[in-house]
Amino acid sequence: MTMLKVWGRINSVNVEKVIWTAQELGLPFERIEAGGAFGVVDTPEYRAMNPVGRVPVIDDDGFVLWESNAIVRYLATRHGLGALMPADLRAQAEAGRWMDFQLGTVAAPLSALTWGIVRTAPEKRDPKALAPAFANLGAALAIVEAGLAGRTHLVGESLTVADIPLACCAHRWFNMPLEGTGLERPDLPNLAAWYGRLKARPAVAGLMPTPLT
């Protein structure tokens, strides 16, 4: 069997989703550095695979796919149907809803904070400019907090594709350096406990690097 290839740097939240999924499924893969300081994404060869020029991209025995959540769905359906990808149609829809929520509601403020805090020197951070994104992200994660009430996972009682994208975002939320910004995380105990459980999974080994970059 041809080995799965994944293009992308490991400090990308979107690459992290895909690598976690592959490791959770026990899939052998080759990861090729791309994006950020590694470049590659603007080469003609890469743009032929992904015209958007972002990471990740996979090549699964000649099948090329880009967009991280689409890749997670594909791998989980192909290799983990009935487990990582629920077999029940309604559970699939619920999992898909959380994945869409991550992209549609969580990703934008998280990206703004990553650039404004993680990738900006402390003396150059602008707390007033960061406050709206921080409030929006906190409000979005409060919805996840409510969704986890009385549950160990977002859908059912085991890990599914619903959890992986949002847990990768939660890692950045809980580890973002806020010293000197005047920003304070709201108390989200369900989210914190869920993140702690998922971070301890063997498949997460080597992922979720800190400090964030």
Side-chain angles (χ1 to χ4, degrees):
M1 184 175 66
T2 303
M3 184 178 290
L4 174 71
K5 292 183 179 180
V6 182
W7 281 264
R9 65 194 192 281
I10 202 64
N11 66 340
S12 160
V13 65
N14 291 323
V15 175
E16 189 175 273
K17 301 174 194 176
V18 172
I19 299 302
W20 182 356
T21 301
Q23 293 184 166
E24 202 70 55
L25 294 166
L27 300 177
F29 63 89
E30 175 191 2
R31 185 175 63 84
I32 301 146
E33 298 285 16
F38 298 100
V40 178
V41 296
D42 289 325
T43 64
E45 294 80 9
Y46 192 88
R47 289 298 179 114
M49 294 191 296
N50 180 2
V52 180
R54 295 176 182 169
V55 292
V57 171
I58 66 165
D59 183 332
D60 184 25
D61 195 19
F63 176 62
V64 175
L65 186 64
W66 46 279
E67 287 295 339
S68 59
N69 281 6
I71 295 169
V72 169
R73 285 187 178 98
Y74 165 74
L75 293 176
T77 302
R78 183 175 185 194
H79 300 284
L81 186 61
L84 199 56
M85 174 61 76
D88 177 76
L89 182 61
R90 292 183 177 181
Q92 281 187 20
E94 192 177 0
R97 183 267 314 278
W98 284 117
M99 295 181 79
D100 290 349
F101 178 77
Q102 182 269 319
L103 280 181
T105 305
V106 173
L110 178 61
S111 178
L113 293 171
T114 298
W115 283 102
I117 296 177
V118 177
R119 296 174 182 166
T120 297
E123 66 276 10
K124 294 184 178 180
R125 294 172 187 160
D126 184 346
K128 288 185 179 180
L130 294 169
F134 191 80
N136 289 339
L137 182 55
L141 292 176
I143 294 172
V144 183
E145 167 80 9
L148 286 165
R151 293 184 168 196
T152 58
H153 297 79
L154 284 167
V155 177
E157 294 304 315
S158 60
L159 183 78
T160 70
V161 292
D163 298 288
I164 290 175
L166 281 166
C168 293
C169 295
H171 173 68
R172 283 148 180 83
W173 167 256
F174 285 116
N175 291 280
M176 198 168 288
L178 300 182
E179 296 81 1
T181 65
L183 302 171
E184 294 186 10
R185 296 179 185 86
D187 187 28
L188 301 173
N190 295 334
L191 187 79
W194 165 82
Y195 161 66
R197 288 192 299 271
L198 298 190
K199 186 176 67 169
R201 295 181 68 88
V204 181
L207 299 177
M208 296 189 176
T210 49
L212 303 176
T213 57

